[in-house]
Amino acid sequence: MPTFKFAMHPASEGDALILTWGGGTLHHALVDLGRTGDYRALKPLLAEIGAFDLFTISHIDADHIEGVVPLFKEATLPFNARHVWFNARAQLEAAAKRITERVQLGAAQAEKVTAGIVKSKWPWNAHFESGIVSLDSAEAGAPLAFEGGLKLTLLSPSDLKLSQLLPVWDAELKKAGLRTVDPDEVAAALAEGREQLGGLNVDALAAQPFAIDGTKPNGSSITFIAEFGGKRVLMGADSHPDIVEASLRKLGASETERYKLDCLKVSHHGSRANTSPSFLKIIDCTRFAFSTDGSRHGHPHAETIARILKTDPKRKKTLIFNFRQPSTDQWDDADLKKRWNYECLFPEEGKTGIEFDI
């Protein structure tokens, strides 16, 4: 029986994700490594697995990339990666040149990761002749094949999204590469005075105006569909919904021909600014995965989950969380689950993270 599993390991407010696929021989892909402590906790498992067919560092936000820095400080790397996908400064500059924009700057943490990849001698962006993981690279025009039968279809970023990161590279990171400010912090402060009373009102939450994420690091996220054995999972990273929606429409998705997904790893940990109503209307999906402990921005935002439920109220849906915390636990409500026809999956008692079949 073929295996296709998705694991969301504890990664603070970020991502540390593993896809596993195959028949007799299992293959693995690693996406991001959360923060420093998350990497250290995950290190024994990474060493046990030993080899990854793909290691994707989706973008430069600290909750995705910080854990990669201590990895590359190890005297002996705990695992081998057959391929690495990561857009560093050189790729941003190359993308900018492809659209005739030129700006020069750098980022300390991302530069450390770059140096680590170079030192590791792991094949870096080797699937793309230009070395840029971008929709505008010729190879992105078709699914990319990996050993064991996995296919990846790139949905984000574009050269434009990458080039737009260049002018804010330094401003987005301080010292060890931490983000200086996140729009969700502003949104959370504004929301303090309008907390929902008397429980969650899905209709009211879903009706809130949608304001799209405009942060440049998130726009540079490497986002793809992983397909194996006829099943698909969309790995959303922190991507902007407009580029992902446009990519899906190029694949034939529409409001009348919705794109079948067996799982959506929801972008930006369920931020209200990264999953648009128009995006939800062109996907056919009933399982939604959220990776976050909710510690920094209150993710997942209630508006996002409400939009998911409101878009498809009749079919049974599953919300999958890798932490039981206030922003997720509030959805484990019998009346809400009955009214909106969904169930919640949380880590088993006493266990960390969650793994499930796609």
PDB file of all heavy atoms in Angstrom, residues 279-313:
ATOM      1  N   PHE A 279      -9.748  32.803  -3.599  1.00  0.00           N
ATOM      2  CA  PHE A 279      -8.920  31.605  -3.663  1.00  0.00           C
ATOM      3  C   PHE A 279      -9.707  30.381  -3.207  1.00  0.00           C
ATOM      4  O   PHE A 279      -9.683  29.319  -3.849  1.00  0.00           O
ATOM      5  CB  PHE A 279      -7.669  31.793  -2.789  1.00  0.00           C
ATOM      6  CG  PHE A 279      -6.943  30.515  -2.473  1.00  0.00           C
ATOM      7  CD1 PHE A 279      -6.160  29.879  -3.422  1.00  0.00           C
ATOM      8  CD2 PHE A 279      -7.041  29.939  -1.210  1.00  0.00           C
ATOM      9  CE1 PHE A 279      -5.489  28.692  -3.131  1.00  0.00           C
ATOM     10  CE2 PHE A 279      -6.378  28.766  -0.910  1.00  0.00           C
ATOM     11  CZ  PHE A 279      -5.599  28.140  -1.874  1.00  0.00           C
ATOM     12  N   LEU A 280     -10.447  30.507  -2.116  1.00  0.00           N
ATOM     13  CA  LEU A 280     -11.204  29.376  -1.585  1.00  0.00           C
ATOM     14  C   LEU A 280     -12.283  28.907  -2.565  1.00  0.00           C
ATOM     15  O   LEU A 280     -12.618  27.715  -2.593  1.00  0.00           O
ATOM     16  CB  LEU A 280     -11.843  29.754  -0.246  1.00  0.00           C
ATOM     17  CG  LEU A 280     -10.869  29.915   0.931  1.00  0.00           C
ATOM     18  CD1 LEU A 280     -11.591  30.492   2.138  1.00  0.00           C
ATOM     19  CD2 LEU A 280     -10.210  28.586   1.293  1.00  0.00           C
ATOM     20  N   LYS A 281     -12.785  29.804  -3.373  1.00  0.00           N
ATOM     21  CA  LYS A 281     -13.857  29.451  -4.310  1.00  0.00           C
ATOM     22  C   LYS A 281     -13.378  28.628  -5.501  1.00  0.00           C
ATOM     23  O   LYS A 281     -14.194  28.056  -6.222  1.00  0.00           O
ATOM     24  CB  LYS A 281     -14.560  30.714  -4.799  1.00  0.00           C
ATOM     25  CG  LYS A 281     -15.424  31.379  -3.738  1.00  0.00           C
ATOM     26  CD  LYS A 281     -16.010  32.681  -4.245  1.00  0.00           C
ATOM     27  CE  LYS A 281     -16.841  33.356  -3.160  1.00  0.00           C
ATOM     28  NZ  LYS A 281     -17.364  34.678  -3.594  1.00  0.00           N
ATOM     29  N   ILE A 282     -12.048  28.547  -5.720  1.00  0.00           N
ATOM     30  CA  ILE A 282     -11.563  27.782  -6.879  1.00  0.00           C
ATOM     31  C   ILE A 282     -10.846  26.496  -6.470  1.00  0.00           C
ATOM     32  O   ILE A 282     -10.272  25.824  -7.318  1.00  0.00           O
ATOM     33  CB  ILE A 282     -10.651  28.637  -7.780  1.00  0.00           C
ATOM     34  CG1 ILE A 282      -9.349  28.994  -7.073  1.00  0.00           C
ATOM     35  CG2 ILE A 282     -11.383  29.875  -8.281  1.00  0.00           C
ATOM     36  CD1 ILE A 282      -8.283  29.544  -8.013  1.00  0.00           C
ATOM     37  N   ILE A 283     -10.893  26.152  -5.175  1.00  0.00           N
ATOM     38  CA  ILE A 283     -10.313  24.878  -4.754  1.00  0.00           C
ATOM     39  C   ILE A 283     -11.408  23.954  -4.233  1.00  0.00           C
ATOM     40  O   ILE A 283     -12.401  24.400  -3.662  1.00  0.00           O
ATOM     41  CB  ILE A 283      -9.212  25.051  -3.686  1.00  0.00           C
ATOM     42  CG1 ILE A 283      -9.767  25.668  -2.400  1.00  0.00           C
ATOM     43  CG2 ILE A 283      -8.045  25.864  -4.245  1.00  0.00           C
ATOM     44  CD1 ILE A 283      -8.800  25.614  -1.233  1.00  0.00           C
ATOM     45  N   ASP A 284     -11.207  22.674  -4.464  1.00  0.00           N
ATOM     46  CA  ASP A 284     -12.099  21.625  -3.976  1.00  0.00           C
ATOM     47  C   ASP A 284     -11.326  20.888  -2.884  1.00  0.00           C
ATOM     48  O   ASP A 284     -10.513  20.016  -3.165  1.00  0.00           O
ATOM     49  CB  ASP A 284     -12.454  20.689  -5.134  1.00  0.00           C
ATOM     50  CG  ASP A 284     -13.259  19.468  -4.705  1.00  0.00           C
ATOM     51  OD1 ASP A 284     -13.608  19.378  -3.505  1.00  0.00           O
ATOM     52  OD2 ASP A 284     -13.515  18.599  -5.551  1.00  0.00           O
ATOM     53  N   CYS A 285     -11.551  21.283  -1.640  1.00  0.00           N
ATOM     54  CA  CYS A 285     -10.747  20.761  -0.533  1.00  0.00           C
ATOM     55  C   CYS A 285     -11.592  20.714   0.732  1.00  0.00           C
ATOM     56  O   CYS A 285     -12.382  21.626   0.997  1.00  0.00           O
ATOM     57  CB  CYS A 285      -9.527  21.665  -0.310  1.00  0.00           C
ATOM     58  SG  CYS A 285      -8.373  21.059   0.941  1.00  0.00           S
ATOM     59  N   THR A 286     -11.417  19.659   1.507  1.00  0.00           N
ATOM     60  CA  THR A 286     -12.166  19.531   2.761  1.00  0.00           C
ATOM     61  C   THR A 286     -11.250  19.332   3.969  1.00  0.00           C
ATOM     62  O   THR A 286     -11.732  19.155   5.085  1.00  0.00           O
ATOM     63  CB  THR A 286     -13.155  18.357   2.697  1.00  0.00           C
ATOM     64  OG1 THR A 286     -12.441  17.141   2.421  1.00  0.00           O
ATOM     65  CG2 THR A 286     -14.214  18.592   1.634  1.00  0.00           C
ATOM     66  N   ARG A 287      -9.912  19.351   3.751  1.00  0.00           N
ATOM     67  CA  ARG A 287      -8.986  19.211   4.889  1.00  0.00           C
ATOM     68  C   ARG A 287      -7.990  20.368   4.870  1.00  0.00           C
ATOM     69  O   ARG A 287      -7.333  20.626   3.865  1.00  0.00           O
ATOM     70  CB  ARG A 287      -8.247  17.871   4.833  1.00  0.00           C
ATOM     71  CG  ARG A 287      -9.187  16.685   5.061  1.00  0.00           C
ATOM     72  CD  ARG A 287      -8.417  15.457   5.506  1.00  0.00           C
ATOM     73  NE  ARG A 287      -7.518  14.992   4.455  1.00  0.00           N
ATOM     74  CZ  ARG A 287      -6.601  14.047   4.646  1.00  0.00           C
ATOM     75  NH1 ARG A 287      -6.434  13.509   5.832  1.00  0.00           N
ATOM     76  NH2 ARG A 287      -5.848  13.647   3.633  1.00  0.00           N
ATOM     77  N   PHE A 288      -7.893  21.035   6.015  1.00  0.00           N
ATOM     78  CA  PHE A 288      -7.122  22.260   6.122  1.00  0.00           C
ATOM     79  C   PHE A 288      -6.186  22.170   7.323  1.00  0.00           C
ATOM     80  O   PHE A 288      -6.637  21.962   8.458  1.00  0.00           O
ATOM     81  CB  PHE A 288      -8.061  23.461   6.260  1.00  0.00           C
ATOM     82  CG  PHE A 288      -9.044  23.573   5.118  1.00  0.00           C
ATOM     83  CD1 PHE A 288     -10.243  22.866   5.142  1.00  0.00           C
ATOM     84  CD2 PHE A 288      -8.750  24.353   4.014  1.00  0.00           C
ATOM     85  CE1 PHE A 288     -11.142  22.946   4.092  1.00  0.00           C
ATOM     86  CE2 PHE A 288      -9.644  24.453   2.954  1.00  0.00           C
ATOM     87  CZ  PHE A 288     -10.838  23.748   2.988  1.00  0.00           C
ATOM     88  N   ALA A 289      -4.882  22.314   7.079  1.00  0.00           N
ATOM     89  CA  ALA A 289      -3.873  22.114   8.111  1.00  0.00           C
ATOM     90  C   ALA A 289      -3.263  23.456   8.519  1.00  0.00           C
ATOM     91  O   ALA A 289      -2.917  24.282   7.672  1.00  0.00           O
ATOM     92  CB  ALA A 289      -2.792  21.163   7.599  1.00  0.00           C
ATOM     93  N   PHE A 290      -3.098  23.646   9.834  1.00  0.00           N
ATOM     94  CA  PHE A 290      -2.576  24.886  10.391  1.00  0.00           C
ATOM     95  C   PHE A 290      -1.379  24.573  11.283  1.00  0.00           C
ATOM     96  O   PHE A 290      -1.497  23.784  12.224  1.00  0.00           O
ATOM     97  CB  PHE A 290      -3.642  25.602  11.221  1.00  0.00           C
ATOM     98  CG  PHE A 290      -4.885  25.965  10.449  1.00  0.00           C
ATOM     99  CD1 PHE A 290      -5.903  25.028  10.268  1.00  0.00           C
ATOM    100  CD2 PHE A 290      -5.053  27.229   9.907  1.00  0.00           C
ATOM    101  CE1 PHE A 290      -7.051  25.350   9.566  1.00  0.00           C
ATOM    102  CE2 PHE A 290      -6.197  27.556   9.198  1.00  0.00           C
ATOM    103  CZ  PHE A 290      -7.199  26.620   9.028  1.00  0.00           C
ATOM    104  N   SER A 291      -0.249  25.202  10.986  1.00  0.00           N
ATOM    105  CA  SER A 291       0.973  24.988  11.758  1.00  0.00           C
ATOM    106  C   SER A 291       1.311  26.245  12.544  1.00  0.00           C
ATOM    107  O   SER A 291       1.816  27.227  11.980  1.00  0.00           O
ATOM    108  CB  SER A 291       2.135  24.629  10.815  1.00  0.00           C
ATOM    109  OG  SER A 291       3.361  24.589  11.517  1.00  0.00           O
ATOM    110  N   THR A 292       1.031  26.252  13.847  1.00  0.00           N
ATOM    111  CA  THR A 292       1.358  27.406  14.695  1.00  0.00           C
ATOM    112  C   THR A 292       0.973  27.130  16.145  1.00  0.00           C
ATOM    113  O   THR A 292      -0.032  26.474  16.409  1.00  0.00           O
ATOM    114  CB  THR A 292       0.640  28.680  14.232  1.00  0.00           C
ATOM    115  OG1 THR A 292       0.959  29.762  15.102  1.00  0.00           O
ATOM    116  CG2 THR A 292      -0.869  28.501  14.186  1.00  0.00           C
ATOM    117  N   ASP A 293       1.778  27.675  17.066  1.00  0.00           N
ATOM    118  CA  ASP A 293       1.399  27.611  18.475  1.00  0.00           C
ATOM    119  C   ASP A 293       0.639  28.864  18.900  1.00  0.00           C
ATOM    120  O   ASP A 293       0.249  29.008  20.056  1.00  0.00           O
ATOM    121  CB  ASP A 293       2.622  27.394  19.372  1.00  0.00           C
ATOM    122  CG  ASP A 293       3.606  28.562  19.367  1.00  0.00           C
ATOM    123  OD1 ASP A 293       3.353  29.570  18.675  1.00  0.00           O
ATOM    124  OD2 ASP A 293       4.641  28.468  20.062  1.00  0.00           O
ATOM    125  N   GLY A 294       0.450  29.795  17.948  1.00  0.00           N
ATOM    126  CA  GLY A 294      -0.335  30.995  18.220  1.00  0.00           C
ATOM    127  C   GLY A 294       0.338  32.005  19.124  1.00  0.00           C
ATOM    128  O   GLY A 294      -0.300  32.969  19.560  1.00  0.00           O
ATOM    129  N   SER A 295       1.629  31.829  19.397  1.00  0.00           N
ATOM    130  CA  SER A 295       2.275  32.610  20.448  1.00  0.00           C
ATOM    131  C   SER A 295       2.546  34.065  20.086  1.00  0.00           C
ATOM    132  O   SER A 295       2.622  34.920  20.959  1.00  0.00           O
ATOM    133  CB  SER A 295       3.594  31.946  20.853  1.00  0.00           C
ATOM    134  OG  SER A 295       4.468  31.830  19.745  1.00  0.00           O
ATOM    135  N   ARG A 296       2.695  34.366  18.794  1.00  0.00           N
ATOM    136  CA  ARG A 296       3.085  35.734  18.431  1.00  0.00           C
ATOM    137  C   ARG A 296       1.942  36.554  17.817  1.00  0.00           C
ATOM    138  O   ARG A 296       1.794  37.724  18.119  1.00  0.00           O
ATOM    139  CB  ARG A 296       4.268  35.705  17.461  1.00  0.00           C
ATOM    140  CG  ARG A 296       5.572  35.315  18.122  1.00  0.00           C
ATOM    141  CD  ARG A 296       6.714  35.286  17.131  1.00  0.00           C
ATOM    142  NE  ARG A 296       7.008  36.579  16.549  1.00  0.00           N
ATOM    143  CZ  ARG A 296       7.788  37.503  17.106  1.00  0.00           C
ATOM    144  NH1 ARG A 296       8.338  37.273  18.286  1.00  0.00           N
ATOM    145  NH2 ARG A 296       8.027  38.649  16.493  1.00  0.00           N
ATOM    146  N   HIS A 297       1.145  35.967  16.997  1.00  0.00           N
ATOM    147  CA  HIS A 297       0.150  36.747  16.261  1.00  0.00           C
ATOM    148  C   HIS A 297      -1.283  36.233  16.417  1.00  0.00           C
ATOM    149  O   HIS A 297      -2.171  36.671  15.693  1.00  0.00           O
ATOM    150  CB  HIS A 297       0.503  36.777  14.770  1.00  0.00           C
ATOM    151  CG  HIS A 297       1.931  37.155  14.510  1.00  0.00           C
ATOM    152  ND1 HIS A 297       2.460  38.342  14.937  1.00  0.00           N
ATOM    153  CD2 HIS A 297       2.933  36.486  13.900  1.00  0.00           C
ATOM    154  CE1 HIS A 297       3.749  38.402  14.580  1.00  0.00           C
ATOM    155  NE2 HIS A 297       4.048  37.285  13.958  1.00  0.00           N
ATOM    156  N   GLY A 298      -1.478  35.292  17.325  1.00  0.00           N
ATOM    157  CA  GLY A 298      -2.823  34.761  17.504  1.00  0.00           C
ATOM    158  C   GLY A 298      -3.317  33.937  16.344  1.00  0.00           C
ATOM    159  O   GLY A 298      -4.522  33.767  16.146  1.00  0.00           O
ATOM    160  N   HIS A 299      -2.393  33.397  15.553  1.00  0.00           N
ATOM    161  CA  HIS A 299      -2.776  32.516  14.441  1.00  0.00           C
ATOM    162  C   HIS A 299      -3.277  31.171  14.982  1.00  0.00           C
ATOM    163  O   HIS A 299      -2.821  30.717  16.020  1.00  0.00           O
ATOM    164  CB  HIS A 299      -1.562  32.263  13.536  1.00  0.00           C
ATOM    165  CG  HIS A 299      -1.087  33.467  12.790  1.00  0.00           C
ATOM    166  ND1 HIS A 299       0.221  33.632  12.376  1.00  0.00           N
ATOM    167  CD2 HIS A 299      -1.753  34.592  12.373  1.00  0.00           C
ATOM    168  CE1 HIS A 299       0.350  34.778  11.739  1.00  0.00           C
ATOM    169  NE2 HIS A 299      -0.831  35.386  11.730  1.00  0.00           N
ATOM    170  N   PRO A 300      -4.197  30.521  14.250  1.00  0.00           N
ATOM    171  CA  PRO A 300      -4.873  31.006  13.045  1.00  0.00           C
ATOM    172  C   PRO A 300      -5.953  32.028  13.392  1.00  0.00           C
ATOM    173  O   PRO A 300      -6.619  31.910  14.413  1.00  0.00           O
ATOM    174  CB  PRO A 300      -5.483  29.729  12.459  1.00  0.00           C
ATOM    175  CG  PRO A 300      -5.732  28.859  13.652  1.00  0.00           C
ATOM    176  CD  PRO A 300      -4.607  29.137  14.608  1.00  0.00           C
ATOM    177  N   HIS A 301      -6.108  32.995  12.521  1.00  0.00           N
ATOM    178  CA  HIS A 301      -7.136  34.004  12.755  1.00  0.00           C
ATOM    179  C   HIS A 301      -8.520  33.419  12.506  1.00  0.00           C
ATOM    180  O   HIS A 301      -8.720  32.621  11.589  1.00  0.00           O
ATOM    181  CB  HIS A 301      -6.916  35.211  11.832  1.00  0.00           C
ATOM    182  CG  HIS A 301      -5.737  36.038  12.226  1.00  0.00           C
ATOM    183  ND1 HIS A 301      -4.991  36.751  11.320  1.00  0.00           N
ATOM    184  CD2 HIS A 301      -5.170  36.271  13.443  1.00  0.00           C
ATOM    185  CE1 HIS A 301      -4.022  37.399  11.960  1.00  0.00           C
ATOM    186  NE2 HIS A 301      -4.101  37.115  13.242  1.00  0.00           N
ATOM    187  N   ALA A 302      -9.459  33.849  13.332  1.00  0.00           N
ATOM    188  CA  ALA A 302     -10.820  33.318  13.244  1.00  0.00           C
ATOM    189  C   ALA A 302     -11.462  33.624  11.891  1.00  0.00           C
ATOM    190  O   ALA A 302     -12.253  32.821  11.376  1.00  0.00           O
ATOM    191  CB  ALA A 302     -11.667  33.890  14.375  1.00  0.00           C
ATOM    192  N   GLU A 303     -11.118  34.756  11.287  1.00  0.00           N
ATOM    193  CA  GLU A 303     -11.700  35.104   9.996  1.00  0.00           C
ATOM    194  C   GLU A 303     -11.363  34.067   8.921  1.00  0.00           C
ATOM    195  O   GLU A 303     -12.201  33.736   8.071  1.00  0.00           O
ATOM    196  CB  GLU A 303     -11.210  36.483   9.527  1.00  0.00           C
ATOM    197  CG  GLU A 303     -11.688  37.636  10.382  1.00  0.00           C
ATOM    198  CD  GLU A 303     -10.677  38.030  11.449  1.00  0.00           C
ATOM    199  OE1 GLU A 303      -9.992  37.139  11.991  1.00  0.00           O
ATOM    200  OE2 GLU A 303     -10.578  39.226  11.737  1.00  0.00           O
ATOM    201  N   THR A 304     -10.127  33.568   8.955  1.00  0.00           N
ATOM    202  CA  THR A 304      -9.705  32.593   7.945  1.00  0.00           C
ATOM    203  C   THR A 304     -10.508  31.308   8.067  1.00  0.00           C
ATOM    204  O   THR A 304     -11.014  30.773   7.065  1.00  0.00           O
ATOM    205  CB  THR A 304      -8.202  32.286   8.088  1.00  0.00           C
ATOM    206  OG1 THR A 304      -7.473  33.501   7.861  1.00  0.00           O
ATOM    207  CG2 THR A 304      -7.763  31.234   7.084  1.00  0.00           C
ATOM    208  N   ILE A 305     -10.612  30.798   9.277  1.00  0.00           N
ATOM    209  CA  ILE A 305     -11.365  29.557   9.460  1.00  0.00           C
ATOM    210  C   ILE A 305     -12.838  29.777   9.129  1.00  0.00           C
ATOM    211  O   ILE A 305     -13.488  28.916   8.508  1.00  0.00           O
ATOM    212  CB  ILE A 305     -11.168  29.015  10.884  1.00  0.00           C
ATOM    213  CG1 ILE A 305      -9.706  28.599  11.066  1.00  0.00           C
ATOM    214  CG2 ILE A 305     -12.117  27.842  11.158  1.00  0.00           C
ATOM    215  CD1 ILE A 305      -9.362  28.043  12.423  1.00  0.00           C
ATOM    216  N   ALA A 306     -13.363  30.924   9.485  1.00  0.00           N
ATOM    217  CA  ALA A 306     -14.761  31.218   9.162  1.00  0.00           C
ATOM    218  C   ALA A 306     -14.980  31.244   7.649  1.00  0.00           C
ATOM    219  O   ALA A 306     -15.991  30.726   7.149  1.00  0.00           O
ATOM    220  CB  ALA A 306     -15.174  32.552   9.779  1.00  0.00           C
ATOM    221  N   ARG A 307     -14.046  31.820   6.917  1.00  0.00           N
ATOM    222  CA  ARG A 307     -14.172  31.854   5.447  1.00  0.00           C
ATOM    223  C   ARG A 307     -14.134  30.446   4.866  1.00  0.00           C
ATOM    224  O   ARG A 307     -14.865  30.129   3.913  1.00  0.00           O
ATOM    225  CB  ARG A 307     -13.050  32.707   4.846  1.00  0.00           C
ATOM    226  CG  ARG A 307     -13.208  34.196   5.093  1.00  0.00           C
ATOM    227  CD  ARG A 307     -12.000  34.987   4.629  1.00  0.00           C
ATOM    228  NE  ARG A 307     -12.106  36.394   5.018  1.00  0.00           N
ATOM    229  CZ  ARG A 307     -11.109  37.124   5.483  1.00  0.00           C
ATOM    230  NH1 ARG A 307      -9.898  36.581   5.609  1.00  0.00           N
ATOM    231  NH2 ARG A 307     -11.296  38.384   5.804  1.00  0.00           N
ATOM    232  N   ILE A 308     -13.291  29.601   5.423  1.00  0.00           N
ATOM    233  CA  ILE A 308     -13.219  28.207   4.968  1.00  0.00           C
ATOM    234  C   ILE A 308     -14.564  27.509   5.185  1.00  0.00           C
ATOM    235  O   ILE A 308     -15.097  26.846   4.290  1.00  0.00           O
ATOM    236  CB  ILE A 308     -12.091  27.466   5.711  1.00  0.00           C
ATOM    237  CG1 ILE A 308     -10.720  27.948   5.208  1.00  0.00           C
ATOM    238  CG2 ILE A 308     -12.225  25.950   5.540  1.00  0.00           C
ATOM    239  CD1 ILE A 308      -9.552  27.465   6.045  1.00  0.00           C
ATOM    240  N   LEU A 309     -15.118  27.667   6.371  1.00  0.00           N
ATOM    241  CA  LEU A 309     -16.384  26.999   6.701  1.00  0.00           C
ATOM    242  C   LEU A 309     -17.541  27.569   5.882  1.00  0.00           C
ATOM    243  O   LEU A 309     -18.396  26.820   5.401  1.00  0.00           O
ATOM    244  CB  LEU A 309     -16.670  27.153   8.197  1.00  0.00           C
ATOM    245  CG  LEU A 309     -15.638  26.555   9.162  1.00  0.00           C
ATOM    246  CD1 LEU A 309     -16.038  26.821  10.607  1.00  0.00           C
ATOM    247  CD2 LEU A 309     -15.466  25.062   8.919  1.00  0.00           C
ATOM    248  N   LYS A 310     -17.551  28.866   5.711  1.00  0.00           N
ATOM    249  CA  LYS A 310     -18.651  29.525   4.999  1.00  0.00           C
ATOM    250  C   LYS A 310     -18.633  29.191   3.513  1.00  0.00           C
ATOM    251  O   LYS A 310     -19.697  29.087   2.880  1.00  0.00           O
ATOM    252  CB  LYS A 310     -18.540  31.034   5.205  1.00  0.00           C
ATOM    253  CG  LYS A 310     -19.647  31.847   4.565  1.00  0.00           C
ATOM    254  CD  LYS A 310     -20.937  31.779   5.355  1.00  0.00           C
ATOM    255  CE  LYS A 310     -21.964  32.743   4.793  1.00  0.00           C
ATOM    256  NZ  LYS A 310     -23.240  32.684   5.538  1.00  0.00           N
ATOM    257  N   THR A 311     -17.431  29.016   2.941  1.00  0.00           N
ATOM    258  CA  THR A 311     -17.321  28.729   1.508  1.00  0.00           C
ATOM    259  C   THR A 311     -17.904  27.374   1.154  1.00  0.00           C
ATOM    260  O   THR A 311     -18.447  27.188   0.055  1.00  0.00           O
ATOM    261  CB  THR A 311     -15.842  28.780   1.070  1.00  0.00           C
ATOM    262  OG1 THR A 311     -15.327  30.087   1.330  1.00  0.00           O
ATOM    263  CG2 THR A 311     -15.680  28.479  -0.412  1.00  0.00           C
ATOM    264  N   ASP A 312     -17.812  26.417   2.080  1.00  0.00           N
ATOM    265  CA  ASP A 312     -18.256  25.043   1.794  1.00  0.00           C
ATOM    266  C   ASP A 312     -19.008  24.500   3.014  1.00  0.00           C
ATOM    267  O   ASP A 312     -18.527  23.630   3.732  1.00  0.00           O
ATOM    268  CB  ASP A 312     -17.026  24.183   1.486  1.00  0.00           C
ATOM    269  CG  ASP A 312     -17.380  22.833   0.885  1.00  0.00           C
ATOM    270  OD1 ASP A 312     -18.585  22.536   0.780  1.00  0.00           O
ATOM    271  OD2 ASP A 312     -16.459  22.084   0.540  1.00  0.00           O
ATOM    272  N   PRO A 313     -20.236  25.025   3.267  1.00  0.00           N
ATOM    273  CA  PRO A 313     -20.927  24.699   4.521  1.00  0.00           C
ATOM    274  C   PRO A 313     -21.534  23.301   4.589  1.00  0.00           C
ATOM    275  O   PRO A 313     -21.789  22.790   5.681  1.00  0.00           O
ATOM    276  CB  PRO A 313     -22.020  25.762   4.595  1.00  0.00           C
ATOM    277  CG  PRO A 313     -22.295  26.106   3.164  1.00  0.00           C
ATOM    278  CD  PRO A 313     -20.985  25.993   2.456  1.00  0.00           C
TER     279      PRO A 313
END
